[in-house]
Amino acid sequence: VTLRFAEDVIDALIDGGGYDQSLGARPMKRVIGRQIESLLATGLLRGDFYPEDEVLLHASDGRIAFQVV
Protein backbone atom coordinates (compact mmCIF):
# COMPACT_ATOMS: atom_id res chain seq x y z
CA VAL A 1 0.00 0.00 0.00
CA THR A 2 1.26 3.45 -0.88
CA LEU A 3 0.37 6.05 1.75
CA ARG A 4 0.01 9.79 1.15
CA PHE A 5 -0.56 12.20 4.00
CA ALA A 6 -2.50 15.44 4.04
CA GLU A 7 -0.93 18.20 6.17
CA ASP A 8 -3.72 17.99 8.76
CA VAL A 9 -2.63 14.45 9.70
CA ILE A 10 0.45 15.80 11.48
CA ASP A 11 -1.70 18.08 13.63
CA ALA A 12 -4.10 15.24 14.41
CA LEU A 13 -1.20 13.00 15.49
CA ILE A 14 0.23 15.71 17.73
CA ASP A 15 -3.20 16.46 19.21
CA GLY A 16 -3.72 12.71 19.73
CA GLY A 17 -0.79 12.53 22.11
CA GLY A 18 2.17 12.42 19.73
CA TYR A 19 3.99 15.20 21.54
CA ASP A 20 4.67 15.75 25.22
CA GLN A 21 6.58 18.76 26.45
CA SER A 22 8.79 16.68 28.74
CA LEU A 23 9.25 13.73 26.33
CA GLY A 24 9.30 15.58 23.02
CA ALA A 25 8.10 13.49 20.07
CA ARG A 26 8.88 10.10 21.65
CA PRO A 27 5.17 9.25 22.13
CA MET A 28 4.63 9.71 18.36
CA LYS A 29 5.55 6.08 17.64
CA ARG A 30 2.70 4.82 19.82
CA VAL A 31 0.23 7.29 18.34
CA ILE A 32 1.19 6.28 14.78
CA GLY A 33 0.80 2.62 15.73
CA ARG A 34 -2.61 3.20 17.28
CA GLN A 35 -4.07 5.69 14.79
CA ILE A 36 -2.49 4.56 11.52
CA GLU A 37 -0.83 1.13 11.59
CA SER A 38 -3.59 -0.75 13.40
CA LEU A 39 -6.35 0.85 11.30
CA LEU A 40 -4.41 0.15 8.11
CA ALA A 41 -3.97 -3.50 9.10
CA THR A 42 -7.66 -3.82 9.94
CA GLY A 43 -8.60 -2.27 6.60
CA LEU A 44 -6.35 -4.69 4.74
CA LEU A 45 -7.85 -7.67 6.56
CA ARG A 46 -11.40 -6.44 5.91
CA GLY A 47 -10.66 -5.87 2.22
CA ASP A 48 -11.20 -2.10 2.37
CA PHE A 49 -8.01 -1.68 0.36
CA TYR A 50 -5.45 -3.90 -1.29
CA PRO A 51 -1.63 -3.98 -1.37
CA GLU A 52 -1.46 -2.14 -4.71
CA ASP A 53 -3.79 0.71 -3.63
CA GLU A 54 -2.76 4.28 -2.98
CA VAL A 55 -4.33 5.51 0.26
CA LEU A 56 -4.69 9.13 1.30
CA LEU A 57 -4.66 9.81 5.03
CA HIS A 58 -6.42 12.93 6.21
CA ALA A 59 -7.88 14.24 9.45
CA SER A 60 -11.63 14.28 9.94
CA ASP A 61 -13.00 15.62 13.23
CA GLY A 62 -9.56 15.20 14.81
CA ARG A 63 -9.27 11.54 13.78
CA ILE A 64 -7.26 9.95 10.99
CA ALA A 65 -9.35 8.82 8.02
CA PHE A 66 -8.32 6.69 5.04
CA GLN A 67 -9.40 7.21 1.43
CA VAL A 68 -8.40 5.08 -1.53
CA VAL A 69 -7.39 7.27 -4.48
Side-chain angles (χ1 to χ4, degrees):
V1 173
T2 302
L3 298 178
R4 290 189 346 196
F5 296 85
E7 293 252 346
D8 57 2
V9 170
I10 295 169
D11 293 330
L13 291 171
I14 290 170
D15 293 343
Y19 177 80
D20 181 276
Q21 189 169 1
S22 63
L23 297 173
R26 286 186 211 132
M28 184 62 75
K29 183 175 181 178
R30 285 188 296 277
V31 172
I32 289 172
R34 187 174 60 246
Q35 293 190 15
I36 296 177
E37 291 174 349
S38 65
L39 295 175
L40 182 62
T42 300
L44 283 166
L45 292 172
R46 268 197 320 235
D48 294 342
F49 27 81
Y50 299 94
E52 64 276 358
D53 285 342
E54 183 172 332
V55 179
L56 173 66
L57 280 66
H58 58 91
S60 177
D61 297 325
R63 301 189 57 82
I64 306 297
F66 295 84
Q67 177 183 359
V68 177
V69 286

